[in-house]
Amino acid sequence: MNHRTQVGIVGAGPAGLMLSHLLHLAGIESVVLEARSRQYVEERVRAGLLEQTTVNLLNETGVGERMKRLGLVHHGIELRFGGRGHRIDLSELTGGSTVTIYAQHEVIKDLIAARIAAGGQIVFEAADVSIHDFNGPKPKIRYRIDGTDNELSCDFIAGCDGFHGVCRPSIPNGVLTMYDRIYPFAWLGILAEATPSSDELIYAYHERGFALHSMRSPNITRLYLQCAPDENLADWPDEKIWDELQLRLAAGKDWKLNRGAVIQKGITEMRSFVAEPMQSGTLFLAGDAAHIVPPTGAKGLNLAVADVRVLARALTDYYANSNRELLTKYSETCLRRVWKVQRFSWWMTSMLHRFADDNAFDQRRQLAELDYVTSSRAASQTLAENYVGLPME
Ligand code: RFL
Ligand code: PHB
């Protein structure tokens, strides 16, 4: 089958779905092609923390109703080190901004429901997706459904297919410059049927390694431990995970981590990555397809949403006024935010993790940094303004 749309979007993650939703609100037609099934993307356990800017956008564009009901609004976070907790009052330091705990797959469900209710087209289980002719004005996307070949003609392609997608690797050699850093550790994450042990997130620096206490709801806790990059999950029975989390998160001898049934377990690699520019001809990359941040700053999803906001505005101006200026500036505009978020995510990661080749000096320096960040108003404010999300340009 051959069909046509204005914007062909590869990937139904936060970037692709939000873009399709924003374009629809501007009267621009799009088709989203997704390799996985609807059920798979609606259940995939990923991020959980939304910046104020992301929350505002979901509300302003009419997809924030469930988030308002089920999301947990947080006014602060805690940094734990040296056996003590230190609160960063995000709201007070940023003139009232907050962050919201609301699982990424819930955002995905809300966006899919909104697209379908508005008659939007999302093709799930699209096999062998490939992109063509994006060096000119008539790009095409080919894919297969149930063994049948299809071709989608469009004016623009949005590559929203994540880090392992097909769009970025389809750009000819020599066009992109890649910048990256791979960290010598990973995160072992669990989701557990346990009441959160604190009302707020706890980022812990410990001589045995980093740990993070987060949550999804009043009865589901989300926890992470720094581990080796090649760690084998089979070496981590639940009891061992709980014992290690208890050790690293403890503040004072009486602090006790609530335990419960572990319902999901996984290992996340940690990397920083940027591809520049985020555009080639009529192909625009957005979200993880263009950049990856380590999860310590909780920025990946938020950055994906920020990119497509810039892209939607540029496409809207193009279709309404035949003006390509914002499209031409897409990459430059996004990259200013991307690099600030890269810096913040790298900084949080460097401050909170144990690096195997660090010596006693480096460890003292990390503790001094944590002490400074939690005792200086200027330093706490720097953390807070980045954590709740820098303003959109
Ligand atoms: P996604 O979500 O990876 O979506 C890409 C979509 O493209 C599909 N796809 C294809 N479709 C068609 N053809 C192909 N060839 C395709 N190849 C791939 C995929 O199936 C998928 O549906 O990218 P997007 O939209 O750019 O969104 C990025 C975010 O998902 C990611 O940055 C965050 O999850 C990162 N992240 C966090 N971000 C936050 O903002 N706050 C957090 O608290 C946070 N915590 C996390 C995280 C990521 C984690 N993991 C597992 C990597 C915690 C973890 C553990
Ligand atoms: C999460 O809840 O999954 C989460 C929260 C904060 C982070 C990373 C992950 O920095």
Side-chain angles (χ1 to χ4, degrees):
M1 183 184 84
N2 289 338
H3 55 146
R4 215 204 101 75
T5 191
Q6 290 175 297
V7 182
I9 301 175
V10 186
L17 291 168
M18 190 59 175
L19 178 63
S20 181
H21 176 59
L22 293 174
L23 292 177
H24 163 70
L25 296 178
I28 300 166
E29 202 187 88
S30 66
V31 174
V32 180
L33 302 173
E34 165 60 48
R36 304 287 191 157
S37 68
R38 176 172 181 181
Q39 185 183 353
Y40 183 92
V41 300
E42 290 191 340
E43 290 175 0
R44 182 163 48 193
V45 176
R46 285 266 185 104
L49 190 124
L50 307 182
E51 288 178 350
Q52 184 71 62
T53 37
T54 305
V55 167
N56 293 349
L57 184 67
L58 294 171
N59 283 328
E60 284 157 15
T61 62
V63 283
E65 191 272 326
R66 278 177 76 243
M67 175 188 65
K68 260 189 268 182
R69 234 170 347 106
L70 303 172
L72 307 170
V73 175
H74 285 198
H75 295 268
I77 56 167
E78 194 180 317
L79 298 185
R80 269 191 192 173
F81 55 94
R84 246 169 41 81
H86 307 257
R87 185 167 187 267
I88 305 272
D89 190 332
L90 299 172
S91 297
E92 194 267 327
L93 290 162
T94 58
S97 290
T98 57
V99 291
T100 298
I101 289 286
Y102 187 62
Q104 176 166 329
H105 66 267
E106 301 295 345
V107 176
I108 296 291
K109 281 187 211 164
D110 297 341
L111 288 169
I112 290 176
R115 288 310 296 123
I116 289 176
Q121 288 188 69
I122 308 173
V123 179
F124 291 101
E125 299 178 74
D128 298 332
V129 173
S130 59
I131 60 173
H132 307 271
D133 303 337
F134 53 84
N135 53 349
K138 292 194 169 93
K140 292 171 193 68
I141 309 178
R142 300 205 181 105
Y143 63 99
R144 245 171 337 107
I145 288 286
D146 298 330
T148 308
D149 292 327
N150 294 271
E151 184 173 280
L152 175 66
S153 309
C154 38
D155 302 327
F156 300 99
I157 298 177
C160 302
D161 50 348
F163 186 64
H164 301 286
V166 294
C167 291
R168 192 185 63 251
S170 302
I171 297 175
N173 283 342
V175 173
L176 301 181
T177 305
M178 323 276 192
Y179 301 87
D180 73 346
R181 165 171 295 225
I182 294 173
Y183 297 87
F185 40 74
W187 280 12
L188 192 167
I190 60 167
L191 203 57
E193 282 169 349
T195 306
S197 310
S198 156
D199 292 338
E200 294 182 341
L201 268 62
I202 305 168
Y203 289 82
Y205 172 86
H206 192 275
E207 61 190 28
R208 299 176 65 90
F210 170 75
L212 170 60
H213 168 277
S214 180
M215 64 206 70
R216 287 294 176 268
S217 72
N219 27 27
I220 302 283
T221 308
R222 177 83 167 136
L223 297 145
Y224 300 95
L225 282 178
Q226 175 183 352
C227 64
D230 54 356
E231 198 77 57
N232 187 352
L233 266 186
D235 296 338
W236 285 88
D238 297 355
E239 271 321 289
K240 182 172 163 191
I241 297 176
W242 287 115
D243 291 346
E244 191 63 31
L245 284 164
Q246 168 68 41
L247 267 177
R248 296 188 193 181
L249 286 165
K253 62 178 175 17
D254 296 331
W255 192 84
K256 204 154 183 309
L257 177 65
N258 297 329
R259 301 185 180 199
V262 174
I263 48 182
Q264 198 262 353
K265 230 190 246 193
I267 296 206
T268 304
E269 62 171 346
M270 306 271 285
R271 67 163 77 219
S272 300
F273 170 84
V274 181
E276 290 190 11
M278 291 167 56
Q279 182 209 349
S280 175
T282 42
L283 167 65
F284 292 82
L285 301 176
D288 281 12
H291 41 68
I292 293 283
V293 286
T296 327
K299 290 293 173 213
L301 180 164
N302 295 294
L303 199 53
V305 169
D307 286 349
V308 299
R309 192 174 189 159
V310 174
L311 185 53
R313 199 184 303 147
L315 288 166
T316 302
D317 196 40
Y318 169 76
Y319 282 111
N321 308 313
S322 304
N323 185 358
R324 277 188 180 265
E325 197 189 329
L326 295 181
L327 279 175
T328 309
K329 286 195 182 144
Y330 168 72
S331 182
E332 185 191 323
T333 308
C334 286
L335 285 167
R336 274 200 295 276
R337 184 183 190 85
V338 166
W339 277 109
K340 279 176 242 167
V341 170
Q342 287 289 354
R343 183 207 68 83
F344 176 69
S345 303
W346 162 85
W347 173 72
M348 286 283 279
T349 303
S350 313
M351 176 170 69
L352 287 161
H353 289 75
R354 288 300 297 264
F355 288 74
D357 51 5
D358 272 4
N359 64 18
F361 173 87
D362 297 305
Q363 287 158 22
R364 284 284 197 278
R365 178 183 49 73
Q366 277 178 312
L367 284 167
E369 178 140 32
L370 286 160
D371 188 11
Y372 177 57
V373 161
T374 51
S375 60
S376 150
R377 183 176 172 87
S380 310
Q381 198 162 26
T382 294
L383 190 157
E385 77 166 347
N386 282 278
Y387 196 84
V388 301
L390 294 171
M392 288 297 297
E393 271 187 26

